[in-house]
Amino acid sequence: MPDITRDDVAHLAGLARIQLDDAELDRLAAELPKILDSVATVTQALEGAGDVTPMSHPTPLTNVFREDVVRPSLSPEDALAAAPASEEQRFLVPKILGEE
């Protein structure tokens, strides 16, 4: 486990312009070596993986977007044919927010 002192944490906090109180300095001085050990463990696992290609997801993802192509669709008259009310080629709906 790497040695990280309270002064090291205070120095790093100063470089990052983060103000830490005494309790936070003590807590981070105890936690940072464990975090660095975990990073080292993951790094060792990656080094031992050989030619395995890094991936962002465990299962392959496929783009599901379709091409943006203009296709025939309903005319405004056909779309409004089943509407309970319409006005100027738009659906007419009751006001829900008052007069304004």
Side-chain angles (χ1 to χ4, degrees):
M1 190 178 306
D3 286 337
I4 296 181
T5 65
R6 189 175 187 276
D7 290 338
D8 294 333
V9 175
H11 179 70
L12 291 172
L15 292 174
R17 298 181 183 181
I18 299 172
Q19 290 186 337
L20 300 174
D21 62 28
D22 289 340
E24 291 170 323
L25 289 172
D26 291 337
R27 184 175 51 85
L28 288 172
E31 289 178 356
L32 281 176
K34 295 174 188 172
I35 293 169
L36 292 176
D37 278 345
S38 298
V39 171
T41 300
V42 171
T43 301
Q44 287 174 351
L46 291 174
E47 290 171 354
D51 292 335
V52 175
T53 305
M55 58 186 180
S56 62
H57 298 281
T59 56
L61 298 177
T62 305
N63 188 353
V64 296
F65 295 118
R66 63 177 169 79
E67 290 188 37
D68 189 14
V69 178
V70 177
R71 297 185 299 179
S73 62
L74 293 175
S75 67
E77 292 79 21
D78 291 340
L80 294 170
S86 64
E87 184 177 292
E88 298 178 5
Q89 290 195 334
R90 296 186 180 115
F91 292 99
L92 187 63
V93 296
K95 292 180 182 179
I96 59 172
L97 299 176
E99 294 298 320
E100 291 294 323

